[in-house]
Amino acid sequence: NAGVTQTPKFQVLKTGQSMTLQCAQDMNHNSMYWYRQDPGMGLRLIYYSASEGTTDKGEVPNGYNVSRLNKREFSLRLESAAPSQTSVYFCASTEGGSGRYGNTIYFGEGSWLTVV
Amino acid sequence: QKEVEQNSGPLSVPEGAIASLNCTYSDRGSQSFFWYRQYSGKSPELIMSIYSNGDKEDGRFTAQLNKASQYVSLLIRDSQPSDSATYLCAVNVGTSYDKVIFGPGTSLSVIP
């Protein structure tokens, strides 16, 4: 069972470069998420997608764009990377769906991004 | 002010003791509450979820919810060294069941 797969696992970027983090889930989940984790800050929600075709801002969306390509895939793009975006990024998914709440969120293994 | 707050750590308890982790949230419309555990360098994994006021027990873990006080806690009985990890409280935001935000986490160390 692959679960949630995200790539790349490690990346070093120069300030101003762009890149896309890819995420795919094989659990037929409706909802997908991108979080970032910094020391002492817990997980902060960047964007989420409640269903295929929809995306919504989270707590810290500035500097990021997302695409829900289909039900399986949810990508995160940094258009012009900044040192403040150095972080660990987690993609996640949950069954979700209208009227459903409290479902377990499953996380990918994380992507370590350094912007120099 | 962050919408989900947790007691600052790190928290150290001796093996066999009870560890108490606390979380407060600001959105009165929240309905779903979760505790995740995260080992260093790993991704978070769900320990428990709770939706109704009161206690919910699962093995050595007990989650307690008080919506009036906007407070949720996690008790770990008979703490083991393997429980040493960061514990993250998570809450859905208002009526959006899909929008789930996390607290800053509390680091727990269980001393043998």
Side-chain angles (χ1 to χ4, degrees), chain B residues 9-77:
Chain B
L11 177 66
S12 292
V13 299
E15 184 174 355
I18 295 175
S20 177
L21 303 162
N22 302 318
C23 173
T24 58
Y25 59 95
S26 61
D27 190 336
R28 287 195 170 276
S30 296
Q31 298 292 325
S32 307
F33 308 88
F34 311 87
W35 283 101
Y36 283 79
R37 176 177 61 199
Q38 185 178 26
Y39 292 112
S40 181
K42 302 295 185 182
S43 54
E45 55 184 358
L46 181 71
I47 299 175
M48 292 188 69
S49 57
I50 186 167
Y51 319 119
S52 303
N53 282 326
D55 295 357
K56 180 180 179 182
E57 186 174 318
D58 184 0
R60 296 186 295 111
F61 298 94
T62 299
Q64 300 173 317
L65 174 62
N66 183 326
K67 290 184 181 179
S69 299
Q70 294 174 250
Y71 173 91
V72 58
S73 67
L74 180 70
L75 298 177
I76 306 175
R77 292 182 300 281

Side-chain angles (χ1 to χ4, degrees), chain A residues 31 33 35 37 40-43 45 48 50 59 90 96 100-102 104-105 107-108 112, chain B residues 2 31-32 34 36 38 41-44 46 51 88 96-104:
Chain A
S31 303
Y33 306 83
Y35 291 91
Q37 187 169 39
M41 299 293 290
L43 291 164
L45 181 63
Y48 69 104
E59 301 169 277
F90 287 98
R100 296 173 181 261
Y101 68 93
T104 302
I105 295 178
F107 288 85
W112 273 254
Chain B
K2 193 168 171 63
Q31 298 292 325
S32 307
F34 311 87
Y36 283 79
Q38 185 178 26
K42 302 295 185 182
S43 54
L46 181 71
Y51 319 119
L88 299 160
S96 173
Y97 296 137
D98 300 292
K99 187 175 183 179
V100 177
I101 62 173
F102 286 74

Side-chain angles (χ1 to χ4, degrees), chain A residues 45-98:
Chain A
L45 181 63
I46 305 172
Y47 272 93
Y48 69 104
S49 171
S51 61
E52 184 178 356
T54 69
T55 60
D56 286 284
K57 295 179 180 179
E59 301 169 277
V60 288
N62 291 345
Y64 304 96
N65 286 302
V66 290
S67 296
R68 183 74 183 266
L69 303 170
N70 48 55
K71 192 172 185 179
R72 289 186 63 248
E73 298 174 287
F74 188 39
S75 63
L76 178 72
R77 183 162 178 84
L78 286 69
E79 291 290 351
S80 180
S84 60
Q85 294 178 304
T86 294
S87 188
V88 181
Y89 291 85
F90 287 98
C91 179
S93 71
T94 188
E95 185 175 356
S98 178

